[in-house]
Amino acid sequence: MYVCIVGTGYVGLVTGVCLAHIGHQVVCVDNNEEKVRLMQAGTSPIYEPQLSEIMQAALDAGRIEFTTDLAAGVAQGQIVFIAVGTPALPSGESDTRSVEAVARGIGSHLNGAYKVIVNKSTVPIGSGDWVRMLMLEGYAQRHLTTQVATRLSESGGNSTGSIATTEIATLVKKPAFDVVSNPEFLREGSAVYDTLNPDRIVLGGSEPAIALMRELYTPIIAREPAEHQSLPSVPVVITDLNSAEMIKYAANAFLATKISFINEVANICDRVGADITQVAKGIGLDSRIGSQFLQAGIGWGGSCFPKDVSALIHTAADYGYEAPLLKAVVSVNRHQRLLVIAKLQKMLKSLKGKTIGLLGITFKPNTDDLRDAPSLSIIEHLTRLGAKVKAYEPILSQTGTRTGLSDVIMETDPERLAMGCDSLILVTDWQEFQTLNYAHLATLMHHPVMIDGRNFLQPQTLEAAGFSYVGIGR
Ligand code: NAD
């Protein structure tokens, strides 16, 4: 099938590359010229495991192309995905300006053939109907301008007032399209794997668009590109637009709640002398609870949970509901992000003039994404308290990518990071941090203190290496 993806970030690029991988003909559109030039040259502007390899294979097979030309993309796509960013506004509300611009743009380029427009961006409930309205406006505006210009030139330049409103309406034929909500559940750090091996596919909308979406995903539903092909086919949830949009928000809000819950229990463990890692194991084995998202630590962050939970609270308020549970989830998380600072102060007393080294700064391992990472709050607070902050980050340090952070010195390896530090804080649980030579790192530090913000290391191993070890709730 012919597919157009508008917005080539973590979601759009991965979706486009994976759809090309399963045999579709894909054109990816982005308004960032620099990104498009990179992708045309075969370089992914983001890091995701496997992405570069399958992107190159799709380019070599001629199944994917990249452009800034929205009109060309819309002309080619039978199915057009909207996958642009929807960050949070300061009010917590979702900033949907990019979706608005793209929806109008797609509408203005509709060419008569039936198309399915897919909302893959996470958008406030009701956005399916809003996108339809914007597309109709975009379409009408462009076609009216053309038609009226023609009529004006035919009438020798008389004003548009000479064309009756009813006549204008008949000049513009209704374009044939349907809007579908197809929320994305991929996890950064395993985005390609998740796209080819989803737990479920959610489709909100009506026929015939739903049938085309099913056809698009047939190989994935049948687990053809999956790692475990013997698994039963991927469940497809077919529902209305609003419910599909709500499924995305509810899923992220639930996962954030689970993390805030275990962090709250960890804080109680800290006080009563219980070990949260044992408690999490004990409750996670209960099949009604499950063990995922029960790792106590410095809290949730990243480009989705914070903004999606805020947006859901905001939507609830718009409809007169206060959402007290979700507000508490946010409040626990805000406190949790700065818990490592309190633990550091307990170990080192004043942080003025101290040097603190961060192991990892991305919000999770295997990604280069820093959006709303807990490290940003930690860096800001440490700096405010007069500490010097250094960091080692496997991907950003390797690629030399600039972090855009002025208050942190990026080091190129863990040894340079440890040199002269009064404490290390493990911020991101990168696998390579399990096997560092901690005995050697301890000899390079002023005070070998380790604040393990993810409960990722073995306390006994660190203590044997000469560190004073402090975890979260253990
Ligand atoms: P992103 O910021 O990485 O990518 C957005 C892309 O859209 C950028 O490349 C940007 O240049 C492009 N863009 C913006 N305006 C445009 C326009 N007018 N025309 C063409 N291109 C335009 O964002 P992302 O992380 O991929 O997220 C996209 C959406 O998917 C968001 O709504 C997000 O909430 C949702 N989502 C993200 C994830 C995730 O893990 N990142 C997971 C699930 C859902």
Side-chain angles (χ1 to χ4, degrees):
M1 295 173 89
Y2 285 88
V3 181
C4 166
I5 313 264
V6 189
T8 56
Y10 289 84
V11 167
L13 180 57
V14 171
T15 302
V17 163
C18 288
L19 289 175
H21 179 70
I22 61 171
H24 298 298
Q25 196 62 40
V26 180
V27 54
C28 289
V29 181
D30 204 289
N31 63 357
N32 182 326
E33 289 180 10
E34 198 185 325
K35 262 189 170 182
V36 170
R37 264 197 302 275
L38 268 179
M39 294 183 290
Q40 285 170 338
T43 306
S44 166
I46 54 163
Y47 174 77
E48 270 299 328
Q50 290 179 275
L51 181 60
S52 292
E53 293 84 338
I54 64 166
M55 178 174 154
Q56 193 55 56
L59 274 166
D60 293 345
R63 281 207 293 267
I64 196 163
E65 56 186 301
F66 301 96
T67 179
T68 53
D69 186 349
L70 181 63
V74 174
Q76 184 170 323
Q78 182 183 11
I79 298 183
V80 182
F81 281 86
I82 302 177
V84 294
T86 47
L89 289 167
S91 62
E93 206 175 344
S94 178
D95 181 349
T96 51
R97 281 174 294 186
S98 296
V99 174
E100 178 172 351
V102 170
R104 280 189 200 281
I106 296 172
S108 74
H109 296 302
L110 289 175
N111 56 9
Y114 176 76
K115 290 184 192 295
V116 179
I117 314 304
V118 187
N119 251 342
K120 204 158 215 12
S121 296
T122 303
V123 281
I125 292 105
S127 295
D129 295 332
W130 177 68
V131 162
R132 173 192 305 283
M133 181 195 81
L134 293 168
M135 286 181 56
L136 286 172
E137 280 178 13
Y139 178 84
Q141 216 160 6
R142 173 144 178 271
H143 286 258
L144 262 184
T145 315
T146 320
Q147 304 264 19
V148 170
T150 313
R151 293 298 301 266
L152 274 176
S153 75
E154 281 168 7
S155 66
N158 288 336
S159 81
T160 48
S162 63
I163 305 174
T165 318
T166 46
E167 200 184 348
I168 286 174
T170 56
L171 284 173
V172 182
K173 272 216 236 105
K174 263 211 164 157
F177 72 90
D178 280 308
V179 177
V180 164
S181 168
N182 172 214
E184 181 53 63
F185 302 99
L186 63 78
R187 297 163 299 176
E188 286 183 22
S190 54
V192 171
Y193 176 88
D194 291 347
T195 305
L196 297 175
N197 302 266
D199 288 339
R200 77 303 207 185
I201 290 172
V202 173
L203 300 173
S206 50
E207 298 296 349
I210 296 292
L212 283 167
M213 291 302 290
R214 264 186 171 282
E215 189 184 335
L216 179 78
Y217 284 127
T218 296
I220 292 179
I221 295 169
R223 299 211 186 262
E224 283 166 23
E227 204 143 282
H228 305 289
Q229 295 182 345
S230 57
L231 287 173
S233 58
V234 174
V236 181
V237 178
I238 295 178
T239 181
D240 58 279
L241 278 166
N242 287 5
S243 302
E245 288 161 357
M246 183 55 112
I247 286 170
K248 174 64 193 171
Y249 281 108
N252 276 358
F254 181 77
L255 294 173
T257 303
K258 213 172 166 191
I259 299 172
S260 280
F261 170 81
I262 202 69
N263 281 335
E264 183 144 295
V265 176
N267 295 341
I268 304 172
C269 282
D270 251 341
R271 286 160 176 81
V272 300
D275 181 343
I276 190 63
T277 58
Q278 297 300 310
V279 174
K281 188 174 173 194
I283 64 171
L285 286 168
D286 185 326
S287 58
R288 294 167 302 174
I289 297 174
S291 59
Q292 290 198 49
F293 284 75
L294 284 185
Q295 284 75 38
I298 54 178
W300 39 273
S303 65
C304 290
F305 285 8
K307 78 172 177 65
D308 291 350
V309 177
S310 296
L312 188 53
I313 291 172
H314 202 277
T315 299
D318 279 349
Y319 289 84
Y321 182 67
E322 207 201 326
L325 175 63
L326 296 180
K327 285 183 176 168
V329 166
V330 172
S331 159
V332 168
N333 197 55
R334 203 175 294 127
H335 169 268
Q336 204 68 20
R337 280 189 172 200
L338 300 178
L339 192 62
V340 288
I341 310 261
K343 286 180 181 279
L344 205 53
Q345 286 170 322
K346 202 166 166 200
M347 296 298 287
L348 301 178
K349 309 299 175 211
S350 167
L351 299 182
K352 262 196 188 10
K354 299 277 173 27
T355 302
I356 311 299
L358 307 186
L359 279 168
I361 54 172
T362 52
F363 80 99
K364 65 193 295 197
N366 300 318
T367 179
D368 53 358
D369 198 347
L370 274 174
R371 287 177 286 183
D372 220 335
S375 63
L376 303 179
S377 318
I378 295 171
I379 292 167
E380 187 192 321
H381 274 73
L382 286 174
T383 308
R384 195 174 55 74
L385 291 169
K388 175 167 134 186
V389 188
K390 307 201 288 175
Y392 166 67
E393 168 55 53
I395 286 198
L396 302 178
S397 295
Q398 258 173 41
T399 56
T401 308
R402 294 173 72 96
T403 61
L405 302 171
S406 52
D407 293 328
V408 61
I409 302 162
M410 292 303 288
E411 297 288 6
T412 48
D413 57 59
E415 285 74 24
R416 278 177 213 267
L417 176 73
M419 233 169 264
C421 272
D422 294 282
S423 175
L424 294 178
I425 304 179
L426 189 142
V427 174
T428 315
D429 43 350
W430 285 90
Q431 202 51 43
E432 69 172 76
F433 296 161
Q434 283 282 357
T435 51
L436 295 180
N437 184 344
Y438 284 105
H440 177 54
L441 295 187
T443 63
L444 303 172
M445 298 173 64
H446 274 148
H447 298 103
V449 173
M450 171 65 77
I451 310 287
D452 183 356
R454 301 283 181 184
N455 287 347
F456 188 57
L457 306 170
Q458 289 305 322
Q460 302 82 347
T461 313
L462 268 282
E463 278 157 13
F467 274 87
S468 300
Y469 175 92
V470 181
I472 309 281
R474 68 196 306 206

